[in-house]
Amino acid sequence: MRQLYIGGSWTASASDEFIDVVNPATEEIIDRVPAGSPDDVESAAGAARRAFPGWSETAASERGKLLGDAAELLKQRSEEIAKTIATDMGAPLGFARKVQTLMPATVLSSYAQLAESHPRESRVGNSMVVKEPIGVVAAITPWNYPLHQIVCKVAPALAAGCTVVLKPSEVAPLAAYALAEILAEVGLPPGVFNLVSGRGPVVGEAMAAHPEVDMVSFTGSTAAGRRVAALAAESVKRVALELGGKSANVILPDADLALAVKVGVANCFVNAGQTCSAWTRMIVHRDQYDEAVRLAVEAARGYTVGDPFDESTRIGPLVSATQRDRVVRYINRGQEEGARLVAGGTERPHERGYYVEPTVFAAVEPGMTIEREEIFGPVLSLIPYTSEDQAVAIANDTKYGLAGAVWAATEDRAVGVARRLRTGQVAINGGRFNPLAPFGGYKQSGVGRELGEQGLEEYLETKAMQL
């Protein structure tokens, strides 16, 4: 059983309740974490407030060194942490190693450098404009990328000179504990980083509403993000939200169709589809639609579903029974509304574990539930279009705007269409994800940006001194 990390010490929760951590591949309980209470949030916020003056005045070079040391330890322990993530949230081990662990180490290293290099002063006429840390940050993170999403908040906050109270997801919390151990080991001062595990309606809401918290950074569902923003608004806190998505993969008629479909299917199914930026809507010209469906089905059949520790596995289990049941309901709804199931479905591929087959729907029309709502599972919808304007209209006809893709024969043509998409990030002809570029959404996909310099700016206040 775990404890909380508050004020530089591992300590028991004020609550005597615990939450079971379940291996989604075996359905077995592997650990327990405290179901924290508002009293725990009070203690953690107080510790963060007391630590703030000293940490905010610590030299940027020293803050950067501590973050750099933490990044090195994270790399050294990457295999152990990857195995932890594969066990408590079900990501295939290779993916857990490369994306779930080593990518956060890269992000942490980037903020070790930005802590010192990011400019904090400028002159505008007779004014000196300075950037200062906002204060105590409440970071509330999800289960799908349980270390990466933490590092995307904690690293820039610490680099900026803020102190942090973290609530990781209670569904997959163990990577957060590994990071807490690393931060303690490198010598982060007491109270600069605090960890309170627990449920969102208890711990998360107490953090969002706490008077000692100056900013809330939340990643999760759009519905939960609205609740966090409403609570934070009572004390006019700054809020950063990274929420849901229903991203479009627009394939223009002159694109390499086989490549676009292959990469599009891979992006949709990555992390068992439990990715907010996944390209879950493939938008294909009607003249190429049947061939695109055939290619998508062929690609989907190449995705082995199974044990995260089996090297042949490409799709692990969904994170929980609740998540599996949610995805199954959407697959059923798609068929009820007239979409054509061409791959996968609701049959369980294994007797134990929260598995769902990689699923592809054809004959999907704009407005269908599976075309509108975020499913958060390995479910792809193919939608036909007849003109470029219609393709853009379909892509933009959503309350979300987090990511997307455009494929064309030339980069210039793809960029021209990408500029018309109301979304925060667009891959051009399969351009790879850049962990140093800003990430965030338009519309109900969120507020603010993570990663890179823009991610650091979220944690800074601006002061002008007239000289």
Side-chain angles (χ1 to χ4, degrees):
M1 292 189 294
R2 308 290 177 133
Q3 293 184 307
L4 308 180
Y5 187 71
I6 298 175
S9 299
W10 292 103
T11 182
S13 170
S15 165
D16 58 2
E17 294 184 28
F18 284 84
I19 300 169
D20 292 335
V21 180
V22 176
N23 180 336
T26 65
E27 305 184 34
E28 296 171 341
I29 296 170
I30 55 173
D31 211 332
R32 304 178 81 203
V33 296
S37 70
D39 287 341
D40 296 320
V41 174
E42 180 72 28
S43 298
R49 176 59 61 196
R50 291 188 295 273
F52 175 67
W55 181 246
S56 63
E57 294 169 8
T58 298
S61 59
E62 178 60 20
R63 293 201 299 267
K65 181 182 183 305
L66 288 168
L67 291 175
D69 291 346
E72 286 304 311
L73 267 184
L74 181 52
K75 291 173 187 174
Q76 291 172 23
R77 298 177 186 176
S78 61
E79 190 67 18
E80 173 190 347
I81 294 172
K83 289 177 180 177
T84 296
I85 293 172
T87 301
D88 82 344
M89 69 79 55
L93 183 58
F95 182 80
R97 183 186 300 116
K98 182 178 179 180
V99 176
Q100 297 273 20
T101 308
L102 291 177
M103 185 168 69
T106 298
V107 173
L108 193 50
S109 294
S110 75
Y111 283 113
Q113 297 170 15
L114 284 170
E116 189 169 5
S117 66
H118 188 71
R120 297 294 182 96
E121 295 185 6
S122 61
R123 290 293 295 266
V124 180
N126 70 310
S127 298
M128 179 186 294
V129 180
V130 298
K131 299 292 183 69
E132 300 176 342
I134 193 168
V136 175
V137 173
I140 304 172
T141 58
W143 46 259
N144 59 328
Y145 290 86
L147 180 60
H148 176 67
Q149 292 294 344
I150 289 170
V151 169
C152 285
K153 301 178 189 305
V154 171
L158 297 182
C162 299
T163 55
V164 175
V165 180
L166 167 70
K167 190 204 87 67
S169 169
E170 68 276 18
V171 178
L174 302 185
Y177 281 85
L179 181 63
E181 291 165 358
I182 286 172
L183 294 175
E185 193 167 327
V186 300
L188 201 69
V192 172
F193 171 83
N194 306 272
L195 185 159
V196 180
S197 60
R199 297 181 175 89
V202 178
V203 172
E205 294 201 4
M207 288 166 58
H210 199 282
E212 292 289 0
V213 170
D214 300 293
M215 174 181 174
V216 184
S217 181
F218 171 85
T219 297
S221 71
T222 297
R226 291 193 198 100
R227 176 62 178 164
V228 166
L231 291 167
E234 291 296 320
S235 49
V236 198
K237 303 182 196 303
R238 180 179 296 179
V239 176
L241 302 172
E242 201 269 278
L243 306 175
K246 194 68 180 176
S247 299
N249 180 16
V250 179
I251 304 175
L252 298 177
D254 60 353
D256 182 334
L257 182 66
L259 179 62
V261 171
K262 178 182 177 181
V263 176
V265 169
N267 184 283
C268 179
F269 291 165
V270 71
N271 207 33
Q274 299 168 127
T275 300
C276 53
S277 57
W279 310 338
T280 54
R281 295 184 297 150
M282 185 177 289
I283 301 175
V284 186
H285 195 278
R286 192 170 293 278
D287 291 345
Q288 299 172 315
Y289 187 77
D290 290 343
E291 177 64 6
V293 170
R294 186 190 70 77
L295 290 167
V297 170
E298 181 181 316
R301 287 174 178 161
Y303 281 77
T304 304
V305 179
D307 181 356
F309 288 89
D310 186 328
E311 290 185 1
S312 68
T313 292
R314 299 184 71 184
I315 294 183
L318 299 185
V319 76
S320 66
T322 299
Q323 189 63 22
R324 179 198 61 202
D325 293 347
R326 167 192 167 93
V327 173
V328 167
R329 285 196 298 271
Y330 273 111
I331 294 172
N332 287 330
R333 184 71 176 271
Q335 294 177 87
E336 291 165 4
E337 293 184 1
R340 181 161 53 91
L341 184 69
V342 292
T346 60
E347 293 295 322
R348 296 184 64 171
H350 301 285
E351 288 186 10
R352 299 195 69 182
Y354 309 129
Y355 294 97
V356 172
E357 290 279 5
T359 296
V360 178
F361 276 104
V364 178
E365 297 294 335
M368 286 184 174
T369 300
I370 59 170
E371 192 269 341
R372 305 290 291 178
E373 298 184 12
E374 184 176 43
I375 298 172
F376 230 59
V379 181
L380 174 66
S381 295
L382 280 89
I383 306 152
Y385 71 90
T386 55
S387 70
E388 185 176 300
D389 286 346
Q390 185 187 28
V392 170
I394 292 170
N396 286 336
D397 185 22
T398 170
K399 66 182 180 181
Y400 298 114
L402 187 57
V406 180
W407 299 78
T410 66
E411 183 176 288
D412 285 347
R413 185 180 183 198
V415 168
V417 172
R419 289 182 183 277
R420 300 174 66 188
L421 301 186
R422 299 289 295 167
T423 188
Q425 198 167 80
V426 186
I428 303 299
N429 286 336
R432 63 185 176 85
F433 179 77
N434 180 0
L436 306 182
F439 180 84
Y442 288 25
K443 299 184 281 187
Q444 292 188 32
S445 284
V447 177
R449 292 295 180 268
E450 293 186 329
L451 301 175
E453 292 190 3
Q454 289 83 357
L456 181 60
E457 288 283 346
E458 294 289 336
Y459 299 91
L460 295 172
E461 287 280 23
T462 301
K463 177 187 289 182
M465 294 183 283
Q466 281 45 271
L467 306 180

